[in-house]
DNA sequence: GACAAGAGTTCTGTATACATTGATGCGGGA
DNA sequence: TCCCGCATCAATGTATACAGAACTCTTGTC
């Protein structure tokens, strides 16, 4: 694996996991010393982060981690509605029924399990990721999948801001199961409707959950680390 | 302006304008000699092209211009329907009425002019570009705009494949005028419907217009020029 | 004659040195 | 006391050298 790939993925994770806060300056020399590699692969990593929208190149001041505001959350969910609804329709049209029946069954099991004592967040999130991949595969549209990939990066960052309520987790799983069933049945209308319901509830949950701070304070100029 | 920016834009134009054909290998040394700059800014330019999807990094064989197939056209228009319809709705909701009334009037003038003797393609394309920007501004959604920017790059490349029929040009202008009027009136439903009509007709036009070749032949290994 | 193994060559990936540009802080003047 | 301008400096932008890997051509063997 290339050094630039390692640096890119590490920095991306740091930003998504809020270990690197918005406004943080990502100096080339600083990061190259941190990873023990030269500036060249760091430059490529920062370039990719900028293309992803996770960072912005400020002329003369280098690359800084991008801000996330409440307005961004609205904008992200607007784009998500456009992409997810279309993806759900296309997936329902071209899906492998068995695959989505399986996902629906697994999701139902998670719903039942989340109503019990244990809360297996990791298992649920893994299942959602598999369902996203299954939808991407079913849509058979690399351009749509590419747009989704970029969008999910930002959504993951926003999601990490607030701790999802356990009750909401169970309801989200039930909504995902509904989407999977609709796709398995091949009903485009129902798949889109179920997606709309899920997105509306998800946005509601994000907006009503207490978050740390939407607008991060100006970070210290000296590097954290 | 940075050398890497110049190289990126020049290469991007070359790909969109089909001066660089799919499968063409973009060697770092070759391109650096062509632009008279070193490999470093060329690497950054190629990296951006790869992020755009206009080129692909082949392990060991460098960066090559990406292919465009009939399947890609279908996929692009599927994504376009998702993005453009949502953008039209949002623009109708948040638009500046005067701006879109002005665009509608200009488009009507172009329609009348295209029905006459002269065919001012450049003027029409410039007007469409201004309308795209106006919609981007009205949606007030940087993530949606970013997705549109990427998509339009690929669409421009596809569009250059076939010469648009003059009759189709006039009808397309009329459809654009319809969209602008709907947005100016603030009717989300009508804006979306008009967009759907335009996209269906555009796709139809692309698919029925004789094109050079959808699948380009394997390019010569030696660089062209 | 065909296939496989090896050496040569050419490419990418990385490191580092140099140039250039923008930021910062100090001093002078209004 | 505030503002403008210049010098200093630090960080980015670029060039180039080196290392490693992949492809290709050649050669030998079956």
């Amino acid at each position: 694996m290339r050094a630039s790939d390692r640096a890119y993925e590490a920095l991306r994770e740091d930003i998504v996991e809020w270990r690197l806060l918005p406004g943080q300056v990502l100096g080339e020399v600083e990061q190259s010393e941190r990873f023990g590699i030269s500036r060249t692969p760091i430059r490529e990593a920062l370039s990719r982060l900028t293309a992803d929208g996770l960072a912005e190149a400020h002329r003369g001041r280098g690359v800084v981690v991008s801000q996330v505001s409440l307005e961004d959350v609205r904008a992200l969910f607007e784009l998500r509605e456009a992409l997810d609804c279309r993806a759900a329709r296309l997936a329902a049209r071209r899906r492998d029924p068995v695959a989505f029946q399986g996902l629906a069954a697994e999701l139902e099991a998670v719903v039942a399990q989340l109503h019990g004592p244990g809360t297996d967040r990791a298992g649920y999130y893994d299942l959602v990721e598999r369902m996203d991949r299954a939808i991407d595969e079913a849509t058979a549209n690399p351009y749509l999948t590419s747009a989704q990939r970029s969008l999910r990066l930002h959504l993951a960052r926003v999601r990490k801001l607030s701790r999802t309520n356990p009750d909401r987790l169970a309801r989200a799983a039930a909504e995902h199961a509904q989407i999977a069933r609709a796709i398995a049945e091949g009903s485009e209308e129902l798949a889109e409707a179920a997606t709309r319901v899920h997105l509306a509830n998800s946005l509601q949950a994000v907006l009503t959950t207490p978050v740390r701070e939407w607008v991060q304070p100006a970070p210290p100029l000296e590097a954290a680390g």
Side-chain angles (χ1 to χ4, degrees), chain A:
Chain A
M1 198 182 198
R2 296 182 301 179
S4 60
D5 291 335
R6 282 198 302 273
Y8 165 71
E9 292 190 2
L11 285 168
R12 191 187 59 188
E13 287 305 299
D14 283 346
I15 294 175
V16 169
E17 302 286 343
W18 293 86
R19 290 190 290 267
L20 284 174
L21 300 182
Q24 175 76 267
V25 177
L26 303 175
E28 294 180 3
V29 177
E30 167 200 344
Q31 295 300 322
S32 65
E33 288 171 353
R34 176 183 159 200
F35 287 102
I37 59 180
S38 75
R39 281 176 52 210
T40 307
I42 290 291
R43 279 182 70 83
E44 183 170 333
L46 294 178
S47 184
R48 291 172 68 182
L49 289 173
T50 302
D52 288 338
L54 293 178
E56 293 167 3
H58 277 58
R59 170 108 187 169
R61 198 171 286 182
V63 174
V64 299
V65 178
S66 63
Q67 301 282 340
V68 175
S69 69
L70 206 58
E71 266 303 287
D72 284 299
V73 176
R74 171 193 65 75
L76 284 168
F77 269 81
E78 279 179 4
L79 177 57
R80 192 182 176 191
E81 193 174 343
L83 296 181
D84 275 7
C85 287
R86 174 64 47 175
R89 290 192 84 102
L90 293 174
R93 193 183 305 171
R94 302 170 186 154
R95 88 295 182 202
D96 168 25
V98 176
F100 282 91
Q101 280 164 10
L103 283 169
E106 285 191 80
L107 281 160
E108 297 286 6
V110 167
V111 172
Q113 185 250 337
L114 284 174
H115 281 150
T119 305
D120 183 13
R121 284 174 182 271
Y124 168 61
Y125 287 131
D126 177 70
L127 192 49
V128 169
E129 199 178 317
R130 278 164 51 206
M131 181 157 154
D132 282 342
R133 280 204 299 271
I135 290 177
D136 286 342
E137 191 185 351
T139 57
N141 188 322
Y143 300 96
L144 176 58
T145 298
S146 174
Q148 289 273 48
R149 215 182 129 274
S150 170
L151 174 63
R152 286 176 191 142
L153 223 56
H154 291 268
L155 286 170
R157 184 150 83 126
V158 168
R159 198 175 295 125
K160 293 283 165 51
L161 251 185
S162 58
R163 196 179 307 275
T164 305
N165 188 312
D167 291 341
R168 171 62 200 147
L169 214 62
R171 291 194 54 183
E175 290 160 12
H176 269 118
Q178 174 68 63
I179 296 171
R181 280 198 304 272
I183 293 176
E185 291 167 11
S187 167
E188 293 189 32
E189 291 293 336
L190 189 57
E192 179 173 349
T195 300
R196 279 221 154 75
V197 168
H198 174 62
L199 293 185
N201 291 337
S202 289
L203 179 57
Q204 177 77 6
V206 169
L207 294 182
T208 57
T209 303
V211 296
R212 296 194 282 182
E213 278 142 23
W214 282 112
V215 177
Q216 294 291 327
L221 286 178
E222 61 271 13

